[in-house]
Amino acid sequence: METMARKIETFLNIEPVAPELERAGIKKDALKGETAVVTGAASNVGLGFARAIAAAGGNVVIADINPKNGEEARRVINEENGRDAAIFVQCDITQEKDVKNLAEKAYEAFGKVDILINNAMNMRLNGPLLKSTVEELDQSYAISARGVMLAVKEFVPKMVERGHGVVTYSATQFHYCPPMVGGTIYTAGKAAATSLIMSLCNELGPAEETGVGVFCFVPAGVARVDFSKFPPPPPGAPKVDPKKFAMPGFPGMIPPETSGAAMVYCILNAAKLHGSGMIVYDVLRAMNYPFPVPETVKKPAGRRISDQELTMIFCNMGPGFFGLDG
Ligand SMILES: NC(=O)c1ccc[n+]([C@@H]2O[C@H](COP(=O)([O-])OP(=O)(O)OC[C@H]3O[C@@H](n4cnc5c(N)ncnc54)[C@H](O)[C@@H]3O)[C@@H](O)[C@H]2O)c1
């Protein structure tokens, strides 16, 4: 544990991950012997997943299009854990040959793949419908939906054969894009991939029978933001404390390491989660995580609505839905 708690010198924006697992009560050998492929694992959310899985004793295959960050993520994970816990495979998840090469390298290094985390995305393809190009739509769909399909087809049959596996997807809260998010293209691709993943649950059948658990994980506000690097507000602008910028109930963003611990918890409970999804706040609550969960934040006057209700109201019903009487 000493090795893992040490802060590694790196240009990646990270903090030690082992204390997050300890806080969540996850044992350091909880995923011993398990191998995970994490797409988009060279930064932020995916990097948090990969580091947490390795810190919980697992092996990780970092599958990312970015070679500089991917190579560094591999170096960091191996140094943190004092063993060859990670390999990096450069991979454009939209390209079938790259996904085949990814599988080849993963099996060569670790012999098997038990966990597939579909997480890659290019957040720059997050535009409104009328201002996006057709190429942006195609690329966004290719990463979200095509990438998920290619990876699932490559890794899941062997999981079914072995009667052991976990498949998950970094989904979004929004099925219809609310105005404050503004990413219609992104949201539509995410909805397609969520549909693929949820339908896969039905195709496979109950996790108790197949040994393969399939679910969605919703990060929602996961990032380490360096507020000191924010540009100063224009003269005359009202003063806003950036630390108060928050997702519902949170006084800041959720660190990727904390989200990584939440993912490990979900992996360990994959059979129970099969056919459903969990938003990161609810995972933290389920883990009884000592983090500023909404309950610990001073409540404003009036009833707060839960994340689930928020999602139902703004995101699933569509902007034209005003209730059954409306
Ligand atoms: N950060 C959040 O709060 C949040 C909220 C909801 C959903 N998500 C989802 O979680 C995932 C990760 O989000 P993030 O904030 O870490 O994004 P990010 O942009 O920081 O990381 C995405 C990673 O995917 C890689 N990537 C991009 N295109 C690729 C491709 N074609 N093939 C392989 N890798 C590719 C990038 O190089 C990068 O390392 C995304 O799918 C995102 O939609 C994140």
Side-chain angles (χ1 to χ4, degrees):
M1 199 54 90
E2 221 175 67
T3 341
M4 288 190 277
R6 189 159 49 91
K7 191 165 178 186
I8 308 280
E9 280 303 315
T10 174
F11 63 82
L12 297 173
N13 190 2
I14 60 168
E15 290 294 329
V17 69
E20 300 301 298
L21 294 173
E22 269 174 55
R23 249 172 245 144
I26 293 167
K27 296 203 176 83
K28 59 181 173 179
D29 60 354
L31 292 178
K32 195 167 176 206
E34 302 288 298
T35 298
V37 167
V38 187
T39 73
S43 74
N44 199 28
V45 175
L47 180 59
F49 292 161
R51 292 177 65 226
I53 289 167
N59 296 318
V60 270
V61 180
I62 300 158
D64 203 288
I65 204 166
N66 181 331
K68 186 174 171 223
N69 286 18
E71 205 32 69
E72 179 67 351
R74 179 201 63 79
R75 185 192 71 77
V76 163
I77 292 176
N78 289 345
E79 196 177 325
E80 275 179 327
N81 293 280
R83 64 188 175 93
D84 289 338
I87 61 163
F88 166 62
V89 182
Q90 188 177 4
C91 166
D92 178 348
I93 200 69
T94 69
Q95 300 301 311
E96 196 167 3
K97 65 171 179 21
D98 282 20
V99 178
K100 292 224 171 287
N101 178 56
L102 169 67
E104 219 169 88
K105 297 276 160 41
Y107 293 126
E108 199 177 286
F110 300 117
K112 67 189 172 73
V113 169
D114 309 282
I115 301 160
L116 169 64
I117 304 185
N118 295 286
N119 168 79
M121 188 57 210
N122 180 347
M123 304 298 270
R124 280 192 299 266
L125 303 167
N126 190 11
L129 183 56
L130 294 184
K131 292 200 173 136
S132 299
T133 62
V134 172
E135 289 71 28
E136 283 167 340
L137 174 77
D138 286 348
Q139 183 58 13
S140 182
Y141 257 81
I143 301 174
S144 287
R146 190 169 205 268
V148 165
M149 185 167 178
L150 288 174
V152 162
K153 281 175 80 68
E154 200 56 48
F155 294 106
V156 174
K158 286 210 174 80
M159 293 181 190
V160 174
E161 240 171 70
R162 293 173 48 233
H164 177 72
V166 174
V167 184
T168 181
Y169 176 63
S170 285
T172 174
Q173 245 172 320
F174 309 114
H175 291 189
Y176 300 103
C177 190
M180 74 276 199
V181 175
T184 302
I185 298 296
Y186 164 87
T187 312
K190 288 267 153 194
T194 305
S195 170
L196 284 176
I197 288 287
M198 288 294 107
S199 305
L200 178 67
C201 304
N202 288 340
E203 272 185 42
L204 295 181
E208 296 80 31
E209 286 171 23
T210 62
V212 182
V214 184
F215 62 90
C216 282
F217 179 95
V218 183
V222 175
R224 175 166 300 98
V225 182
D226 184 350
F227 291 109
S228 68
K229 292 200 177 130
F230 271 36
K239 276 210 167 123
V240 180
D241 176 359
K243 286 190 179 135
K244 290 205 176 119
F245 169 69
M247 300 300 284
F250 276 86
M253 302 292 236
I254 298 177
E257 292 79 11
T258 312
S259 154
M263 175 55 89
V264 172
Y265 178 86
C266 289
I267 290 169
L268 295 171
N269 289 284
K272 280 188 219 150
L273 288 174
H274 185 69
S276 69
M278 244 179 138
I279 190 162
V280 64
Y281 316 121
D282 288 332
V283 184
L284 295 177
R285 278 190 209 105
M287 295 197 300
N288 205 13
Y289 194 85
F291 187 73
V293 291
E295 284 76 13
T296 67
V297 176
K298 209 169 156 237
K299 287 185 184 167
R303 194 177 84 84
R304 274 172 22 86
I305 61 171
S306 72
D307 303 323
Q308 247 171 353
E309 283 169 295
L310 251 182
T311 308
M312 288 295 285
I313 294 166
F314 292 124
C315 315
N316 290 330
M317 305 303 187
F321 188 89
F322 294 105
L324 291 174
D325 304 325

